[in-house]
Amino acid sequence: GLVLAQQLARAGVAVVLVTMIPQASLWIDRRGEEHGAYATVDPDELVYSAYLNAVINGSPRRNDPYLGGISTKHETYFSIQFLPTYALALIAKPLGLSAATVFILFTPLFAFLSSLAVFWVLSEVTQDERVAGVGSLLVLMCGVLASANLLVEDNYYAVFSFLRRSVPIFPFPLFFVFCVCIWRGFSRSGFSSTAWAIGAGSIMVASIYSYFYHCTTAGALLSVFPLIWFIVRKEARRRVVATVAIIGGFTLVALVPYFQLISQRSRTIDHYQALQLTRSPDLFRFTELLGSLILVAIFYGIRRGRLD
């Protein structure tokens, strides 16, 4: 227990200190004359800040930050993925906090929560607190390198993209908790397995209304991981089916109103969504090549008896 607490504290504090560098740099540079301004880690934070500010000031959910926060008849990506903004506004409004102040205060909080969540899933899988501590730092501080963004983008703080406010900073820790819930849902028995499956289903619902890329990644994980577990661990097949069924039930219920919102979106916003509509295989992205190398390394380690 002591080793666990020490490793978690070291990883969490390290992530908080490093990710506070942009804001600390602004404070030092302006020497008290920053007037509440926050340091951005991504240009998109400006429009998220505008949407949060409009909600804090009483604007309806369907307001367009590109139009000065005025009410609209159509849905936007902000009004569809509204959960993070409303969670932050729910805290900011009664305390009289501005959007900028919320962005500053919640960065170290969610940096620590993210390190806690990553540490949890790594320690759950590896049963090694030291590996989990080092792994948390690698995932959070070096994860962007896996997408090669730093090689092509002139963005000095791209490594902190997981803390972009208000998404994905809010749902980011939840995704890793989702991974823990699936793992425990598959490996535990009885009521415990059901409880963890319900937890995973609840997080999936929150992800659907928080961040498109998280819920689709969770869906991909839920498609592949149960299949592997079903093949390898025959004794757990019933738990796997039950867990997936519970999560799938939560997901289907949440998708009904979600698709209703999607159908009411402005058609013009599709031109600005960073998605590619194609039926062609996409097999040579850097992340896929890196994943292939990892799979080869794991297979080699098993063959040599170094990994179980």
Side-chain angles (χ1 to χ4, degrees), residues 19-39:
T19 54
M20 280 297 293
I21 289 176
Q23 188 64 43
S25 177
L26 175 63
W27 285 337
I28 294 172
D29 182 61
R30 293 300 180 91
R31 299 179 182 178
E33 297 296 328
E34 72 282 349
H35 302 293
Y38 63 89

Side-chain angles (χ1 to χ4, degrees), residues 72-130:
T72 62
K73 295 182 179 180
H74 60 265
E75 299 286 349
T76 67
Y77 292 129
F78 307 97
S79 63
I80 295 172
Q81 300 177 151
F82 63 88
L83 189 58
T85 298
Y86 270 75
L88 296 179
L90 187 64
I91 298 173
K93 199 166 185 177
L95 295 178
L97 302 177
S98 66
T101 302
V102 170
F103 276 19
I104 294 173
L105 294 178
F106 275 79
T107 297
L109 173 62
F110 278 90
F112 185 80
L113 290 177
S114 297
S115 64
L116 176 63
V118 176
F119 184 94
W120 190 11
V121 69
L122 290 178
S123 62
E124 187 74 20
V125 175
T126 66
Q127 296 296 308
D128 190 320
E129 290 79 10
R130 292 180 175 84

Side-chain angles (χ1 to χ4, degrees), residues 21-23 25 39-42 150 155-161:
I21 289 176
Q23 188 64 43
S25 177
T40 62
V41 298
D42 187 282
L150 294 183
N155 184 355
Y156 299 111
Y157 296 139
V159 70
F160 304 146
S161 293

Side-chain angles (χ1 to χ4, degrees), residues 11-297:
V13 171
V15 171
V16 170
L17 291 177
V18 173
T19 54
M20 280 297 293
I21 289 176
Q23 188 64 43
S25 177
L26 175 63
W27 285 337
I28 294 172
D29 182 61
R30 293 300 180 91
R31 299 179 182 178
E33 297 296 328
E34 72 282 349
H35 302 293
Y38 63 89
T40 62
V41 298
D42 187 282
D44 289 345
E45 283 186 310
L46 299 177
V47 69
Y48 283 114
S49 177
Y51 183 69
L52 173 60
N53 187 63
V55 172
I56 292 175
N57 291 330
S59 296
R61 178 181 60 83
R62 285 197 295 191
N63 78 81
D64 194 331
Y66 288 106
L67 300 178
I70 65 173
S71 177
T72 62
K73 295 182 179 180
H74 60 265
E75 299 286 349
T76 67
Y77 292 129
F78 307 97
S79 63
I80 295 172
Q81 300 177 151
F82 63 88
L83 189 58
T85 298
Y86 270 75
L88 296 179
L90 187 64
I91 298 173
K93 199 166 185 177
L95 295 178
L97 302 177
S98 66
T101 302
V102 170
F103 276 19
I104 294 173
L105 294 178
F106 275 79
T107 297
L109 173 62
F110 278 90
F112 185 80
L113 290 177
S114 297
S115 64
L116 176 63
V118 176
F119 184 94
W120 190 11
V121 69
L122 290 178
S123 62
E124 187 74 20
V125 175
T126 66
Q127 296 296 308
D128 190 320
E129 290 79 10
R130 292 180 175 84
V131 170
V134 175
S136 299
L137 296 176
L138 289 175
V139 169
L140 297 176
M141 297 291 93
C142 305
V144 173
L145 292 173
S147 64
N149 283 355
L150 294 183
L151 303 180
V152 297
E153 291 186 3
D154 185 18
N155 184 355
Y156 299 111
Y157 296 139
V159 70
F160 304 146
S161 293
F162 71 97
L163 291 176
R164 187 184 69 184
R165 300 149 296 190
S166 55
V167 292
I169 186 174
F170 182 86
F172 186 83
L174 290 178
F175 174 78
F176 292 96
V177 177
F178 175 82
C179 296
V180 174
C181 290
I182 292 179
W183 182 270
R184 292 195 170 189
F186 288 176
S187 58
R188 303 287 175 95
S189 59
F191 176 78
S192 178
S193 176
T194 303
W196 286 106
I198 293 174
S202 302
I203 293 175
M204 176 64 88
V205 174
S207 297
I208 290 173
Y209 293 98
S210 294
Y211 197 39
F212 173 83
Y213 297 103
H214 280 178
C215 67
T216 51
T217 302
L221 177 67
L222 199 60
S223 301
V224 177
F225 187 56
L227 179 62
I228 297 174
W229 197 290
F230 193 85
I231 295 173
V232 174
R233 300 194 175 183
K234 298 180 180 180
E235 75 282 357
R237 286 181 175 179
R238 183 173 296 180
R239 290 199 301 270
V240 171
V241 173
T243 300
V244 173
I246 292 173
I247 300 173
F250 274 80
T251 303
L252 290 176
V253 171
L255 285 177
V256 173
Y258 178 78
F259 282 124
Q260 178 67 19
L261 295 179
I262 288 290
S263 67
Q264 298 173 3
R265 74 190 185 278
S266 170
R267 301 303 173 186
T268 58
I269 63 177
D270 289 349
H271 297 292
Y272 303 100
Q273 176 69 349
L275 296 175
Q276 296 179 4
L277 182 61
T278 174
R279 294 182 177 87
S280 303
D282 188 6
L283 304 177
F284 298 101
R285 287 186 180 269
F286 184 77
T287 47
E288 292 174 297
L289 297 176
L290 179 61
S292 299
L293 286 175
I294 293 172
L295 289 175
V296 170

